[in-house]
Amino acid sequence: MTQTNSDMGLVVVGAGGRMGRSLIRAIDEIAGVRLAAAIERPGSDAVGRDAGELAGLPSCGVHVTDDALAAFAHAEGVVDFTAPEASLEFADLAAQARIVHVLGTTGMGPECDARIFAASRHARIVKSGNMSLGVNLLSVLVEQAARALNAADWDIEVLEMHHKHKVDAPSGTALLLGQAAAKGREIDLEGASVRVRDGMTGAREDGTIGFATLRGGSVVGEHSVLFATEGEMVELRHEALDRSIFARGAVKAALWARSRKPGLYTMRDVLGLSASV
């Protein structure tokens, strides 16, 4: 796609990984953005390579570097699906540069929240456990269903499956859906979630939200939220067929955040779904 100087310059961090390469392709396909820089960790085999060729595209003239500070200084945004520790550093750099930080990294615990919030005073951070339209619409439906179905009668279970290389469990998407259910029930997910069942666990406690995690093969992502009661069950489900949906969503989130004030946003804000429930 033909790009211009007015296009939003984006940095892809973790450029050598599967999501990084997918992000480079998404930037090439979507109007209004251009690849400003591609980052990898020091010592990576990807450093020095042309980012376009790395992603299976024609040469683009942007070579992968390990100097994030210099890259952020000459960009308007960064898209990040790396690891919690790295993402916290990128959030700090985005705040220093006062640019957009689209944060799709999963496995970030509550201990990361304060640092992300501090960075959002200067950066425009869009943080979500999942960047796809379908999943975020599903989260709205889950919240509505949880609010409508009485906790004393309806049990909630979140079932997810991902490829065998995924390192965090439950997935960020599963937690996003669990949080939507907890919000609908007006409860705290941390105190209500059940993530492990093994041995003589006893009967299921009313009002809890259960998680089941499956890993195997090359599954991109499958998520179901089950509402079960005596004699019937409601299932809300999403299946990701290609990880490019997350990359495209992240790039569109960056474009949306470009004109916003510094702050911490979610994909519900990007998609106009925040007021839907």
Side-chain angles (χ1 to χ4, degrees):
M1 179 175 291
T2 302
Q3 296 174 333
T4 69
N5 291 334
S6 63
D7 289 341
M8 184 180 186
L10 295 178
V11 178
V12 172
V13 294
R18 285 175 296 179
M19 271 306 304
R21 296 194 300 271
S22 185
L23 285 164
I24 293 169
R25 291 191 291 270
I27 290 170
D28 182 69
E29 295 168 0
I30 295 173
V33 292
R34 61 179 176 83
L35 183 65
I39 308 296
E40 258 298 349
R41 66 187 184 281
S44 168
D45 292 340
V47 173
R49 293 185 59 185
D50 183 275
E53 294 177 353
L54 185 66
L57 300 170
S59 175
C60 67
V62 175
H63 292 87
V64 179
T65 177
D66 58 11
D67 189 351
L69 182 61
F72 281 38
H74 297 93
E76 291 183 78
V78 54
V79 280
D80 174 11
F81 288 77
T82 55
E85 184 176 347
S87 290
L88 290 175
E89 294 180 7
F90 294 140
D92 292 342
L93 290 176
Q96 291 175 30
R98 297 179 182 269
I99 61 175
V100 171
H101 183 191
V102 178
L103 180 52
T105 299
T106 58
M108 302 187 77
E111 68 278 3
C112 301
D113 292 346
R115 192 161 161 190
I116 295 295
F117 183 76
S120 74
R121 293 174 183 150
H122 302 291
R124 286 146 283 163
I125 298 179
V126 180
K127 182 177 181 292
S128 179
N130 192 294
M131 295 288 173
S132 85
L133 169 60
V135 163
N136 284 278
L137 176 59
L138 176 61
S139 74
V140 172
L141 298 175
V142 167
E143 184 178 336
Q144 291 176 331
R147 181 174 294 117
L149 301 175
N150 190 296
D153 299 323
W154 290 82
D155 302 319
I156 302 176
E157 292 285 315
V158 181
L159 172 65
E160 57 111 337
M161 182 168 185
H162 282 87
H163 54 85
K164 63 183 180 182
H165 301 291
K166 188 165 181 61
V167 297
D168 57 309
S171 70
T173 304
L175 292 173
L176 181 152
L177 296 172
Q179 288 161 355
K183 185 177 180 182
R185 289 270 168 92
E186 298 183 348
I187 58 175
D188 176 52
L189 179 62
E190 191 64 29
S193 67
V194 177
R195 304 189 184 183
V196 178
R197 294 190 181 101
D198 186 31
M200 296 294 291
T201 60
R204 190 185 199 283
E205 184 179 345
D206 288 345
T208 56
I209 298 173
F211 289 84
T213 300
L214 306 176
R215 294 287 180 267
S218 58
V219 177
V220 176
E222 297 179 6
H223 296 85
S224 297
V225 182
L226 309 177
F227 295 84
T229 190
E230 294 295 328
E232 61 181 321
M233 183 171 68
V234 175
E235 178 179 1
L236 299 175
R237 185 175 185 274
H238 179 272
E239 180 178 357
L241 303 176
D242 188 324
R243 63 176 39 85
S244 66
I245 64 172
F246 312 126
R248 291 194 300 270
V251 172
K252 291 177 181 178
L255 282 167
W256 176 88
R258 187 184 195 184
S259 61
R260 263 59 188 184
K261 296 179 180 179
L264 182 58
Y265 303 97
T266 71
M267 281 300 287
R268 284 197 186 186
D269 296 315
V270 175
L271 300 169
L273 296 173
S274 295
S276 298
V277 290

